[in-house]
Amino acid sequence: MIIEINDPQDSRLNLYRNVKDRDLTGRDGLFMAEGKVVLERLFTSRLAETISVLTTPERLDGLAHLPDVPVYVVPQSVMDAVAGFPIHRGYLALGRYEPPLSLEEAVTGERARVLVLSGIANTDNMGGLMRNAAAFGVDAVILDATCCDPLYRKAIRVSVGGVLEMPHYRVNDLIGALRRFDLTPYALSPSGTVTLDQVQPAARSALLFGAEGPGLCDDIMAACTTVRIDMHGGFDSLNVATTSGIVLYQMCRL
């Protein structure tokens, strides 16, 4: 399926055009992946399908395993012209996210650990959160309507492809969903009533994080056990992705 192309106007490259400008608007229901490590995670993902690959002759041999899809091989100058800026990593791919399980199926069983996000609009933070979720074995990620898309190109890149290994689902009513699936909610906040090391999580637990600054809304906080991480030197909080790494390490091993 290797197809050599030398014309930057070739219509087969249309979905790869103007990567920066179109990153936030979607590509016919597809997402854009960038970089060797991310592409290799995409190729083996059980949650996403690879649609096509775009690379250069020099980079082609760097991919150990290629999926059975069109692999467009172009000169670096053509790749940069199509994308709209220099693609130093030399690898792009288009994928479609298709998790095989519903949220209900993803959190079945006596034990579950679910990451719940509200108001996470920063793509770097979203990528870091997804990377941590994949690293510590979270069963699923639940997002509210105000979160950015975890499949933005930059979020995927920051997650080092972790988002392609982590089933995520968007719901309108976070607390209602947690009650429906019998998940005990723990909300992280600098004003938490208990410290992280005091928490013995329920077998089926949900760990809630809000945006830096505003945090979680009062209604969500009122429905949860609120948890804090005590700090020194006058600091009251950490970056949300950093906080999630500490919390997931602790809560997923118990």
Side-chain angles (χ1 to χ4, degrees), residues 34-54:
E34 176 184 1
K36 180 176 182 290
V37 173
V38 172
L39 263 62
E40 288 175 342
R41 290 191 187 279
L42 170 60
F43 297 163
T44 60
S45 173
R46 61 187 177 85
L47 305 176
E49 173 192 6
T50 307
I51 302 301
S52 65
V53 177
L54 178 63

Side-chain angles (χ1 to χ4, degrees), residues 4-188:
E4 296 185 0
I5 298 176
N6 292 300
D7 180 5
Q9 300 306 315
D10 192 300
S11 61
R12 290 171 291 184
L13 304 178
N14 283 348
L15 286 173
Y16 287 95
R17 297 192 190 284
N18 303 319
V19 169
K20 278 188 174 180
D21 293 342
R22 299 180 58 204
D23 189 39
L24 305 185
T25 59
R27 295 168 183 268
D28 295 348
L30 308 179
F31 63 82
M32 179 77 73
E34 176 184 1
K36 180 176 182 290
V37 173
V38 172
L39 263 62
E40 288 175 342
R41 290 191 187 279
L42 170 60
F43 297 163
T44 60
S45 173
R46 61 187 177 85
L47 305 176
E49 173 192 6
T50 307
I51 302 301
S52 65
V53 177
L54 178 63
T55 189
T56 66
E58 297 80 10
R59 303 280 187 169
L60 180 61
D61 290 342
L63 295 171
H65 304 286
L66 289 169
D68 187 19
V69 300
V71 178
Y72 302 121
V73 179
V74 303
Q76 185 68 54
S77 60
V78 171
M79 190 174 200
D80 295 345
V82 170
F85 69 103
I87 302 293
H88 299 299
R89 293 175 177 84
Y91 299 101
L92 291 173
L94 289 165
R96 180 181 290 112
Y97 186 74
E98 296 181 320
L101 301 178
S102 66
L103 174 56
E104 183 175 11
E105 292 169 323
V107 297
T108 56
E110 295 183 3
R111 185 185 187 279
R113 293 290 184 268
V114 177
L115 177 64
V116 182
L117 305 177
S118 175
I120 305 296
N122 181 285
T123 54
D124 290 285
N125 285 338
M126 180 61 75
L129 287 157
M130 286 290 182
R131 179 175 184 171
N132 292 340
F136 293 112
V138 167
D139 295 292
V141 177
I142 298 177
L143 315 165
D144 72 3
T146 64
C147 285
C148 68
D149 191 344
L151 295 171
Y152 287 164
R153 179 176 55 91
K154 189 176 183 183
I156 297 173
R157 188 178 74 233
V158 172
S159 80
V160 199
V163 65
L164 305 177
E165 300 180 358
M166 180 50 50
H168 60 270
Y169 307 87
R170 202 175 289 269
V171 302
N172 293 322
D173 178 6
L174 289 181
I175 297 303
L178 301 185
R179 287 172 177 161
R180 186 165 68 254
F181 299 122
D182 192 29
L183 294 163
T184 301
Y186 300 90
L188 272 293

Side-chain angles (χ1 to χ4, degrees), residues 111 113 136-137 196-197 199-201 207 245-254:
R111 185 185 187 279
R113 293 290 184 268
F136 293 112
L196 178 60
D197 58 357
V199 177
Q200 181 63 42
L207 312 171
I246 296 169
V247 173
L248 292 176
Y249 170 76
Q250 174 75 358
M251 301 286 258
C252 290
R253 67 194 182 96
L254 296 177

